[in-house]
Amino acid sequence: MSFYKFVLVPFLVLLTIESCVGRTLPSKLSDSTKQPLQTSRPYNIAHRGSNGEFPEETAAAYMRAIEEGADFIETDILATKDGVLICSHDVTLGDRTNIANFSQFADRKRTYEVQYVNMTDWFVVDFTLEELKLLGVNQRFSFRDQQYNGKFPIITFEEYISIALDAKRVVGIYPEIKNPVFVNQRVKWSDGKKFEDKFVETLKKYGYKGSYGSKEWLKQPAFIQSFAPSSLTYVANLTDLPKVFLIDDVTIRTEDTNQTYYELTSDSYLDFIKNFVIGIGPWKDTVVTTKNNYLDEVTDLVAKAHARGLQVHPYTFRNENSFLHFDFHQDPYVEYDYWINKIGVDGLFTDFTGSLHNFQEKTSPLS
């Protein structure tokens, strides 16, 4: 479906996006002419794109992130009713899209259990790609710019890959195997393969391969991430691409193994998972606990990870005062300085790619 059915947006935004949305297959510029991926400072990971400015996981958000200097563009992968892999953080559509405006979908709400909680909403897995392409994506937070609500469509995994491959410099991808238990319960492929199989097949189809730091990997960098450890151990047998184990609040249970992340950050578990992953992606509060919006205690998680040769890529860094602890005096640059130079992280998931890029250019320029 043509992108131009959506409400007109500023000309430069359209010009940026029309080159990738709706393309059937990703294209690729000459690799020999591209500026290589920087590896000398912590990675700037565009969390769902530059979603501080544009609705998350849209072409606009990703292309803006690349323009602002992202090393990697990050996304969440789910599957449609007809088995197409798409970019969406939520398994539901009510909050993230304008589906409520479509009367033909009014009777399509369902109640499913997702990660031990019953949820009633419209679910991605109940809609075909053609149906989902009718929808527009909304800005998640009400205090961010609302002018683009409903103006950009959901994109596919392949369209997301296209954006990275078409960049004028090497830009990595950082896709997440999202809610794999739920997806495998609800979506079936005719060849009998699993969600994780289709995920890796897509990466291989477009040339993503190689262990971390290898020549192949540096040509087309990618990290595979998941909160589900069994998915990571499964895909370890399918690809040598580096994997990152995501860590939520320590009280939360995993979707697949029903273990708390407290259990999964123990020395014994880190000794196990290090055989399958190159790093961990912890929620910031598992690294530094907080109290009354002040930093409290630095845990030993980063030290334990680094002792095992694992990188640490915490999430999520946001510019707004409501997300900044008082210690940082409402200044995101102070927060970046703390995490990079005191905590010693190896990458940062940020909603504001440009802010992190500007900080790094001022404090550790590449040239």
Side-chain angles (χ1 to χ4, degrees), residues 199-333:
F199 182 99
V200 174
E201 283 179 4
T202 304
L203 292 171
K204 287 183 175 180
K205 180 179 180 180
Y206 296 109
Y208 288 94
K209 58 185 176 181
S211 58
Y212 179 75
S214 67
K215 183 177 180 180
E216 293 173 321
W217 186 84
L218 288 170
K219 183 178 179 182
Q220 289 184 209
F223 288 106
I224 296 173
Q225 56 171 331
S226 186
F227 286 100
S230 62
S231 289
L232 294 172
T233 57
Y234 180 83
V235 300
N237 294 315
L238 305 178
T239 177
D240 58 355
L241 286 170
K243 299 143 198 85
V244 174
F245 176 41
L246 299 176
I247 296 169
D248 209 329
D249 182 281
V250 294
T251 64
I252 291 177
R253 293 177 290 160
T254 61
E255 180 188 35
D256 54 335
T257 65
N258 196 25
Q259 295 169 282
T260 66
Y261 287 98
Y262 178 80
E263 297 174 75
L264 301 186
T265 52
S266 66
D267 286 315
S268 60
Y269 194 82
L270 290 174
D271 285 338
F272 163 75
I273 201 67
K274 73 178 183 181
N275 298 305
F276 302 94
V277 303
I278 192 74
I280 59 173
W283 180 42
K284 289 191 296 183
D285 283 20
T286 65
V287 177
V288 184
T289 63
T290 63
K291 185 176 182 180
N292 299 323
N293 203 37
Y294 285 96
L295 301 179
D296 190 21
E297 179 183 354
V298 178
T299 71
D300 61 355
L301 183 57
V302 171
K304 291 197 297 187
H306 283 166
R308 291 164 173 80
L310 298 174
Q311 294 188 28
V312 180
H313 302 168
Y315 66 90
T316 303
F317 292 83
R318 297 176 166 121
N319 283 10
E320 291 94 352
N321 291 342
S322 57
F323 295 115
L324 289 169
H325 299 303
F326 293 145
D327 309 71
F328 303 130
H329 311 293
Q330 300 180 348
D331 187 346
Y333 284 13

